[in-house]
Amino acid sequence: MQEKENEMNFYLHIKDGGRSFPPLIGMTTQQIAKITLERLKPVLSEKLKDLEQSGIRFQKRDLHFFIFQDTFLPPSDEVLNTLTKISIAVFQQFSLKNQEVVISTADDSVSVSFSPEDSKSVQKLFSSSDAFRMKNPEDWSRAWHILQKIKNDELMKKGVFFISPDESFISLDSDVGEGTVIYKDVFIISSKIGRDVEIGQGVFVFDCNIHDRVKILPYSYLEGAEIEQDVSVGPFARMRPKVIVRKNSKIGNFAEIKNSEIGEGTKIQHFSYIGDARIGKNVNIGAGTVTCNWDGRAKNQTEIEDGVFVGSGAMLVAPLKIEKFAYIGAGSTITKNVPPYSLSVERSEQKIIPDWTKRKFPDLVSEKD
């Protein structure tokens, strides 16, 4: 009960005014400020406990942060340490039980006031190289690089390897596991990356959950996907939202997948489009395969069961079900359900017309040829 009475509550209030800037590595300035407050709370709580052990008692406190929409307040060591000192100084100086503490930003300083209605109570306490209000694209770029350094330094201390840390960009709300290798020109936004993952050059990852030992090969784009253990993706692969790739699968170059589940051990090697599909275990999808999911009015689903082999160049016209261990012949357009263990082939009879080129393009063919 005593611990609950002494707990701290942080509130973030956004004030009108200032320019609206693009997100910084996928995050707005307000989202960044919230993360800063989340990281400040345990740091400040630990400091207050140390002071209480020395006999200094603090009552319950509510900290209200008022910032303008263009305020950049990152969770750097400098900012966290300074905000901690400010808060402790306020707690020591003011003993009113319901005293409101307001920390706000203006220009290139961070200030604190003890009554938001009384502007005269604002005291300029410090200027920070890391906390400021953005006024122009140069300030935006400066803030962007500060975030980059904060996050990449944090991850390297955790055991993440960067080929070129100045050329890789990870959002504050992303998590990357130990032993992961990140090449240059990588963007990871609002995503969770497991341990011992390899993320190749030019990869973009947004809102994804990538499990351990996955390889994302160069220039792949992943959005809203879950990739389980020991999967290989790319190069030049695209994952659109609502994709699940089960473990030990392989998604090859120039494959695009959308709103689909890919079963364990399945291979979609190259040049294929899989949309609105449910694919079982150990399925082989040949090059150039397309699930024809759009009929002009609605999306339709394709279901492919375990052990199916789909030959190259197959057009699978949904709605369609291909049952277990069936074979689809290369170059087929499949419009009807395929029963298990069967071979389905759809091709017109091959015709050969002799000397057609000689008659059609006589100037291209000499008598000698």
Side-chain angles (χ1 to χ4, degrees):
M1 185 67 178
Q2 183 69 24
E3 184 177 346
K4 187 172 183 181
E5 288 179 356
N6 291 331
E7 77 174 32
M8 299 172 56
N9 297 297
F10 290 172
Y11 303 94
L12 178 64
H13 308 275
I14 307 301
K15 299 178 68 175
D16 293 333
R19 289 183 57 182
S20 177
F21 284 88
L24 289 150
I25 317 185
M27 304 190 72
T28 65
T29 52
Q30 294 95 316
Q31 290 171 322
I32 293 165
K34 286 181 179 179
I35 289 177
T36 300
L37 295 189
E38 290 171 3
R39 297 190 182 185
L40 173 63
K41 187 171 182 178
V43 174
L44 183 53
S45 296
E46 194 64 32
K47 294 288 185 182
L48 293 177
K49 285 181 182 178
D50 292 341
L51 290 171
E52 288 177 348
Q53 288 177 358
S54 65
I56 302 174
R57 298 295 175 186
F58 297 98
Q59 297 175 357
K60 177 182 176 181
R61 297 295 178 182
D62 290 344
L63 283 157
H64 291 259
F65 289 76
F66 285 76
I67 67 171
F68 292 97
Q69 65 178 4
D70 57 353
T71 297
F72 178 61
L73 194 69
S76 67
D77 290 341
E78 177 194 15
V79 171
L80 293 176
N81 289 336
T82 306
L83 292 180
T84 299
K85 291 177 182 178
I86 290 173
S87 302
I88 291 175
V90 169
F91 292 158
Q92 291 175 326
Q93 187 173 357
F94 292 87
S95 59
L96 295 177
K97 184 174 182 181
N98 296 316
Q99 179 65 55
E100 188 175 53
V101 178
V102 181
I103 297 177
S104 61
T105 54
D107 299 324
D108 286 333
S109 67
V110 175
S111 306
V112 61
S113 67
F114 311 114
S115 174
E117 291 79 19
D118 183 5
S119 59
K120 294 181 181 180
S121 68
V122 175
Q123 303 175 11
K124 187 173 182 179
L125 294 180
F126 77 99
S127 294
S128 169
S129 60
D130 288 350
F132 51 89
R133 289 187 66 186
M134 295 187 293
K135 303 181 185 69
N136 51 51
E138 288 77 13
D139 287 337
W140 183 90
S141 179
R142 172 186 166 198
W144 198 67
H145 283 91
I146 289 172
L147 282 182
Q148 178 194 34
K149 179 170 175 52
I150 291 171
K151 187 63 179 182
N152 290 358
D153 287 350
E154 171 190 309
L155 291 176
M156 284 189 283
K157 290 177 183 177
K158 185 180 176 180
V160 175
F161 298 90
F162 286 87
I163 299 298
S164 181
D166 292 338
E167 297 176 286
S168 296
F169 307 92
I170 321 296
S171 68
L172 286 177
D173 61 343
S174 293
D175 185 38
V176 183
E178 180 182 355
T180 288
V181 177
I182 298 174
Y183 285 71
K184 62 181 292 188
D185 298 329
V186 168
F187 284 77
I188 299 174
I189 298 173
S190 301
S191 297
K192 182 178 181 181
I193 313 295
R195 298 165 64 96
D196 302 314
V197 173
E198 181 178 323
I199 301 182
Q201 181 169 330
V203 169
F204 186 99
V205 180
F206 174 69
D207 191 26
C208 291
N209 184 8
I210 297 176
H211 295 219
D212 299 344
R213 299 180 303 280
V214 169
K215 287 188 176 182
I216 310 295
L217 301 181
Y219 303 104
S220 296
Y221 178 95
L222 291 79
E223 178 181 357
E226 179 170 1
I227 313 296
E228 292 189 351
Q229 307 97 293
D230 303 298
V231 169
S232 175
V233 175
F236 298 98
R238 184 183 181 191
M239 301 284 183
R240 291 163 60 187
K242 298 181 181 179
V243 168
I244 300 175
V245 181
R246 300 299 182 190
K247 61 184 181 180
N248 297 309
S249 295
K250 183 174 182 180
I251 311 299
N253 52 291
F254 301 103
E256 179 179 353
I257 304 177
K258 166 250 179 187
N259 189 28
S260 297
E261 180 177 343
I262 311 302
E264 180 179 341
T266 286
K267 295 180 180 180
I268 305 173
Q269 295 283 38
H270 31 229
F271 303 106
S272 296
Y273 170 70
I274 304 298
D276 301 287
R278 297 295 175 266
I279 299 179
K281 298 179 182 179
N282 301 315
V283 172
N284 182 87
I285 303 293
T289 295
V290 174
T291 55
C292 307
N293 55 333
W294 173 247
D295 63 7
R297 294 189 177 183
K299 300 286 186 179
N300 297 285
Q301 190 171 84
T302 299
E303 182 179 354
I304 301 176
E305 294 186 347
D306 297 349
V308 168
F309 179 94
V310 179
S312 298
M315 300 291 109
L316 308 179
V317 182
L320 182 69
K321 182 175 182 179
I322 303 174
E323 298 188 50
K324 59 184 181 180
F325 296 102
Y327 268 59
I328 306 298
S332 297
T333 298
I334 305 300
T335 59
K336 298 178 181 179
N337 292 342
V338 180
Y341 306 102
S342 61
L343 169 65
S344 181
V345 182
E346 188 278 330
R347 301 172 187 153
S348 60
E349 182 180 353
Q350 182 173 338
K351 296 179 180 179
I352 298 176
I353 302 175
D355 297 328
W356 181 86
T357 305
K358 290 181 179 181
R359 295 193 299 273
K360 184 69 175 178
F361 306 107
D363 56 319
L364 298 179
V365 181
S366 66
E367 290 185 3
K368 186 177 179 180
D369 292 336

